[in-house]
Amino acid sequence: MSEKEDLAKQKAEAAAKAKAAALARKQAKEEAAEKPEVETDMAKQKAEAAAKAKAAALARKQAKEEAAEKPEGDMDIAKQKAEAAAKAKAAALARKQAKEEATEKPEGEMDAAKQKAAAAAKAKAAAAAKAKAAAAAKTRTAVKESKEVNTPSELSPNQSKLDQIVSAIESHVGQGALLEHYINRLSKDVPTLVANLDTYFSIAKFLRYDEQLNFSYLSELHGTDFESHMEIYVHLHSFKMNQSVALKVKLDRDSPVIPSLVPLWSGANWPECEAYDLLGIYFNEHPDLKRILLGEEWKGYPLRKDYQPYDVEV
């Protein structure tokens, strides 16, 4: 059907609708003139309802005829085009509104908003980086603890020497003389003994003078501040056994006092003075305990974790 024929058909239908409506109005007017007022109102309502129903029926008929004439594909395409046009119109309106709002805002407000957005983005990135670093640190700590705690499947070659030393100490000093003992895998598998404070000197004396053990050489002695406590570490060597051993003991941080080992090993003299000078650990029975690096006038102990320098510029 051509465009002209469609236009003619629409005009004819419009004329028919107008004619039918005029006829309905005329008929209602005549009936209203002949009937009483109440009947006239009812008749008028009926006429209006009939006219509406007739117009609706005519519109449905027309829509049905147009739908029958158009293929289903054309209807779908037309529907899609209408939806696309509506979306495009809404998007254009939104862009126009945003542009108008931006034009209305002063430049300072726009800059402030931009700065806030940039600050929020930076904060988010920093939080993500912090979380990533924390996760990595946690992983490293877990790996380190696993290496330190997990006992390797193979026994250390020094395990038999440690068992021999522990058995001798428990037999001569007492069963509760040692808090613990282990092979220190992080320090060349050295057998390590952790003594009670009240058995520290007795164990050291036994290691020094026992004929089978004979740890006659003290190669190292130093103190460490662990914040929760102090610790003394002594490294001994037996030329007879061709074996080294570490002796450790924990001290009260507030009043770190321990027996001196100078009566057993003269080589303990200087390192005990150093521990006294830098950490404030007092060694009972030391022949000449004094500050050897900082001098007696120095305030505080520099190797303590809570040390505050007397002169911050130094």
Side-chain angles (χ1 to χ4, degrees):
M1 186 179 291
S2 66
E3 186 177 350
K4 289 183 179 180
E5 289 175 347
D6 286 341
L7 186 59
K9 185 176 180 182
Q10 291 173 3
K11 285 182 178 180
E13 290 172 351
K17 288 180 182 177
K19 189 174 180 181
L23 183 61
R25 286 196 298 273
K26 182 180 178 182
Q27 185 177 356
K29 191 174 182 182
E30 290 174 353
E31 290 177 355
E34 294 174 359
K35 291 181 180 180
E37 188 174 351
V38 176
E39 293 181 1
T40 299
D41 289 340
M42 291 181 62
K44 187 176 180 180
Q45 291 174 2
K46 286 182 180 179
E48 289 177 353
K52 287 181 180 178
K54 190 172 182 181
L58 186 62
R60 285 196 298 272
K61 181 180 179 184
Q62 184 179 355
K64 191 173 181 181
E65 289 175 354
E66 290 178 356
E69 290 174 1
K70 285 186 178 181
E72 187 176 352
D74 292 346
M75 290 184 70
D76 289 341
I77 292 171
K79 189 176 179 181
Q80 292 172 3
K81 284 183 178 178
E83 291 177 350
K87 287 181 181 178
K89 189 174 181 181
L93 184 62
R95 286 196 298 271
K96 183 180 178 182
Q97 186 177 356
K99 192 174 181 181
E100 289 174 353
E101 290 177 354
T103 305
E104 291 172 0
K105 283 184 179 181
E107 187 176 351
E109 290 184 10
M110 291 184 70
D111 289 342
K114 190 174 181 181
Q115 289 173 2
K116 284 182 181 179
K122 285 181 180 179
K124 189 175 181 180
K130 189 175 180 181
K132 188 175 181 181
K138 190 175 181 182
T139 301
R140 288 194 298 270
T141 302
V143 170
K144 185 178 178 181
E145 289 178 353
S146 176
K147 286 181 179 179
E148 291 178 354
V149 174
N150 290 343
T151 304
S153 56
E154 295 183 4
L155 287 176
S156 167
N158 291 332
Q159 185 63 50
S160 60
K161 298 287 182 68
L162 174 62
D163 294 340
Q164 178 187 349
I165 295 168
V166 169
S167 177
I169 290 173
E170 289 179 344
S171 298
H172 293 81
V173 182
Q175 288 291 329
L178 292 172
L179 286 176
E180 60 177 317
H181 51 83
Y182 56 90
I183 296 293
N184 191 342
R185 294 283 187 174
L186 302 179
S187 182
K188 300 181 180 180
D189 280 22
V190 62
T192 302
L193 310 170
V194 182
N196 285 301
L197 182 58
D198 57 352
T199 59
Y200 166 71
F201 186 81
S202 299
I203 292 172
K205 186 176 181 179
F206 176 74
L207 293 173
R208 170 67 179 88
Y209 293 115
D210 181 76
E211 293 182 0
Q212 298 298 321
L213 304 179
N214 193 21
F215 285 92
S216 58
Y217 178 59
L218 184 149
S219 61
E220 182 181 356
L221 184 152
H222 66 259
T224 306
D225 180 11
F226 287 94
E227 294 187 277
S228 60
H229 64 278
M230 295 281 190
E231 185 175 276
I232 289 293
Y233 176 95
V234 182
H235 194 273
L236 305 171
H237 185 77
S238 170
F239 294 100
K240 186 173 184 178
M241 295 180 65
N242 191 25
Q243 179 64 48
S244 294
V245 69
L247 176 62
K248 298 168 67 174
V249 62
K250 295 180 180 180
L251 309 176
D252 180 14
R253 191 174 186 275
D254 295 330
S255 55
V257 180
I258 191 171
S260 171
L261 296 184
V262 174
L264 304 178
W265 294 276
S266 59
N269 189 327
W270 190 267
E272 286 184 352
C273 285
E274 185 180 46
Y276 166 70
D277 193 7
L278 301 178
L279 287 163
I281 299 174
Y282 189 83
F283 294 86
N284 280 330
E285 305 300 326
H286 189 285
D288 187 23
L289 191 64
K290 60 185 178 181
R291 305 193 82 152
I292 57 175
L293 300 173
L294 303 176
E296 295 299 335
E297 301 301 320
W298 191 272
K299 304 296 182 182
Y301 306 100
L303 289 188
R304 287 199 175 210
K305 298 292 177 65
D306 56 358
Y307 173 70
Q308 296 293 329
Y310 177 72
D311 187 351
V312 293
E313 295 182 0
V314 175

